[in-house]
Amino acid sequence: MNHYTSGVILYGERELIRRQSLSKVNFDNYRAILSFVNIGNVHWKFLYINADDSCLYLVDPSRNSLEQEESDRAAKRFREYFKMRRTCYNKTDWVNVRLRGGVLTHPFQRDGSSCGVMVIMMTKAVMEAFPNKPEMTFLTTKKEMAQARRTFAQTILEASVFDSDTNCAMCATVKPPNPGPSITDWMQCDNCNCWFHSECLDMTNEQLSSAQKTEWKCVLCVT
């Protein structure tokens, strides 16, 4: 479930919740829900709903003595959400799942900026342990968080459909996004070997001709 929908269900008004009814989704095809919840645009929490044990966990990476209470409230909101789907759209999936709040044992955030990394690591632990309760034993030191960021970034980049040999490093597409001539001029950075549309570089014909005759570095390499 995307973070916007889960946030609306937990904190939105009734009419806004109805717009996030997901009427084409049959939750009976799923055994769990995983999501992230954004709090005030400054903090992330992890949402995990396990239909097998009828338990909802709203996990706060920071040390929070109200985690059980917040999970209880979240479970109530989701029970009401599934009842709303039955009333408005005759959807009965998960309507009989009597969700209750729970607490997962987990490491705590040690700084003010690693909540996003931690909720991803929590998600990974849950997926690897499902349907059992996860053992979250990862470290949260500054060094460990930095390493996790690098690992996630590398994983995302390796799974990306972007092809540096055929796509422009500026607009990430094969053809320039704006209408232009049928033949596209390209420039390759002599430092990083990335390719760029001349249109995306906003080069004139004179600048392009001059750059092609010399060693040229892109804006990413000269800054």
Side-chain angles (χ1 to χ4, degrees), residues 58-69:
L58 185 57
V59 188
D60 192 340
S62 62
R63 198 176 296 273
N64 186 352
S65 61
L66 300 178
E67 199 161 290
Q68 178 66 65
E69 182 179 329

Side-chain angles (χ1 to χ4, degrees), residues 97-111:
V97 178
R98 301 185 62 83
L99 291 173
R100 66 187 188 284
V103 174
L104 293 177
T105 301
H106 62 87
F108 296 108
Q109 182 178 346
R110 298 190 184 186
D111 58 25

Side-chain angles (χ1 to χ4, degrees), residues 48-95:
Y48 170 39
I49 305 177
N50 187 330
D52 288 356
D53 63 8
S54 303
C55 206
L56 180 150
Y57 307 91
L58 185 57
V59 188
D60 192 340
S62 62
R63 198 176 296 273
N64 186 352
S65 61
L66 300 178
E67 199 161 290
Q68 178 66 65
E69 182 179 329
E70 292 180 356
S71 293
D72 289 338
R73 286 199 298 266
K76 181 180 178 182
R77 295 280 295 198
F78 266 87
R79 291 197 304 269
E80 293 171 349
Y81 171 73
F82 289 115
K83 290 179 181 177
M84 177 277 295
R85 294 175 79 245
R86 179 181 60 184
T87 301
C88 298
Y89 303 99
N90 199 31
K91 301 286 290 185
T92 59
D93 43 317
W94 279 34
V95 75

Side-chain angles (χ1 to χ4, degrees), residues 184-211:
T184 302
D185 290 315
W186 290 79
M187 278 294 296
Q188 184 179 30
C189 176
D190 292 308
N191 188 61
C192 67
N193 296 321
C194 289
W195 286 93
F196 299 82
H197 297 132
S198 60
E199 292 95 327
C200 293
L201 295 170
D202 198 24
M203 279 185 166
T204 64
N205 290 335
E206 292 75 15
Q207 290 172 327
L208 177 64
S209 177
S210 176

